Amino acid sequence: MEQQLPTDSEEVQKHIRQHFEWFCQFWTPNRESYTGYEQLVLDSELRNACALHHPDFTEFAAAAIATFSKS
């Protein structure tokens, strides 16, 4: 985000894949449910925790996860 890379860039998608793989240690999401997780973050108080990093982080991550889930 700080490098202003698009959410579909190789670098951003590499980080999303790492997050997905990390997430699989605790839950076995498929790509659709992983997108649902990010929607949960968008619609809940978890958004506030993400905003501590950057005010637009949640929306950026949601768009990157949506791209990841389509591939």
Side-chain angles (χ1 to χ4, degrees):
M1 246 183 88
E2 293 170 358
Q3 295 174 2
Q4 299 182 345
L5 296 171
T7 57
D8 64 348
S9 71
E10 187 175 321
E11 183 69 18
V12 170
Q13 288 301 301
K14 179 182 110 182
H15 289 288
I16 295 299
R17 175 170 293 287
Q18 289 171 340
H19 181 258
F20 179 80
E21 290 170 358
W22 172 82
F23 218 78
C24 287
Q25 294 177 41
F26 311 101
W27 174 44
T28 308
N30 58 33
R31 290 178 187 266
E32 182 179 321
S33 61
Y34 186 52
T35 303
Y37 158 76
E38 189 56 32
Q39 189 61 48
L40 170 72
V41 173
L42 284 168
D43 295 340
S44 73
E45 292 298 316
L46 292 171
R47 170 190 282 279
N48 296 334
C50 293
L52 294 174
H53 176 69
H54 188 283
D56 299 325
F57 179 77
T58 309
E59 288 79 8
F60 182 85
I65 287 172
T67 298
F68 175 81
S69 296
K70 292 176 187 172
S71 61

